[in-house]
Amino acid sequence: MARSKLPASRAPAAQRAATAKSKAKSVPAATVKKRNPAVVALAVYRASPLERIAMIRRGIPASEAKRLFAELRIGQGAGFKALNLSTATVNKKAKHGDNLSPEESERIVGFAKLLGQLEAMIQESGDPADFDARAWMARWLTEPLPAFGGARPADLMDTMEGQGLVSAALAQVQSGAYA
C-alpha cells in the first residue's frame, strides 16, 4: 500500500513537514495567544518540556513578549535587559508582527515559566485575592539576595542556568526553607 504519491526523492521531506506540522499542533494555541499573562505564564509552567521546546523553536511573538513585561511592574526595559534582549529589536519585531528567534524565545519562555511557577504557588497556598503576585515578583527580582551572593534574581535571568537557580529559590520560598 503506497503512503504517498510523491516521488521517492520528495517523500522524506514531505514526511518531515507533516511530522513538524503535527508536533506544532500538539501545543495549545492558548499557551501564547491568550491575553491574560497570568494564564499564559501558568500554561507555560504547566506545559510539558516538549511543549515548551516546540514553543521556543516556533518563536514567541514579539508582541506577546512586550505584553508580558508591560504588565509586570519592573517594566519592559528592565525586563528585556534582565533577559539580555534588545528592547529596540523586540519593538521592531513586534511592529512587524514577527516572532522572536529561538534563542530569544527561550529566555522569554523561561521567564514566563517562572511567573507561572509563582502563580501556581499562590493558587496552592490558598486565597490569592489579597496578594499582588506581579508586584511581589517585581520586588523580589530586583532585591539582592544572600543566596545568590548578593546578586539580584534579575541578574541571573539571562541564562537558563540562572533561571534554574531562580526557580529553585522560588520553590524554597514556598517551602519556607529560604532565608
Side-chain angles (χ1 to χ4, degrees):
M1 181 170 164
R3 294 177 87 181
S4 171
K5 294 188 183 211
L6 292 174
S9 64
R10 295 194 57 196
Q15 289 170 351
R16 284 193 305 271
T19 301
K21 188 175 180 182
S22 69
K23 285 180 184 177
K25 287 182 180 178
S26 69
V27 178
T31 303
V32 290
K33 295 288 184 189
K34 286 194 176 180
R35 292 293 169 206
N36 182 343
V39 173
V40 170
L42 194 56
V44 170
Y45 175 69
R46 291 187 172 151
S48 74
L50 290 176
E51 289 172 325
R52 284 191 295 271
I53 289 168
M55 286 180 229
I56 291 164
R57 287 181 175 161
R58 272 195 320 271
I60 299 298
S63 59
E64 290 296 312
K66 285 177 56 75
R67 186 193 46 75
L68 182 70
F69 282 105
E71 296 181 10
L72 189 64
R73 297 205 174 143
I74 62 172
Q76 287 183 8
F80 292 145
K81 183 178 178 183
L83 297 179
N84 198 25
L85 295 173
S86 164
T87 302
T89 299
V90 175
N91 286 338
K92 180 179 174 184
K93 287 182 178 186
K95 182 178 178 181
H96 292 100
D98 295 336
N99 287 354
L100 299 174
S101 71
E103 295 78 18
E104 295 162 332
S105 294
E106 185 168 41
R107 288 177 254 155
I108 294 292
V109 167
F111 186 78
K113 184 180 168 190
L114 286 171
L115 286 176
Q117 180 180 353
L118 177 62
E119 294 292 332
M121 287 169 46
I122 293 165
Q123 285 182 358
E124 293 167 7
S125 298
D127 183 19
D130 294 330
F131 184 73
D132 187 347
R134 298 206 175 274
W136 183 89
M137 179 66 109
R139 212 172 32 255
W140 187 77
L141 283 171
T142 58
E143 292 177 355
L145 296 178
F148 299 145
R152 303 171 312 143
D155 297 334
L156 306 174
M157 297 300 297
D158 62 333
T159 66
M160 296 314 296
E161 195 68 27
Q163 288 183 2
L165 285 173
V166 173
S167 176
L170 271 177
Q172 289 176 334
V173 167
Q174 182 179 24
S175 71
Y178 185 76

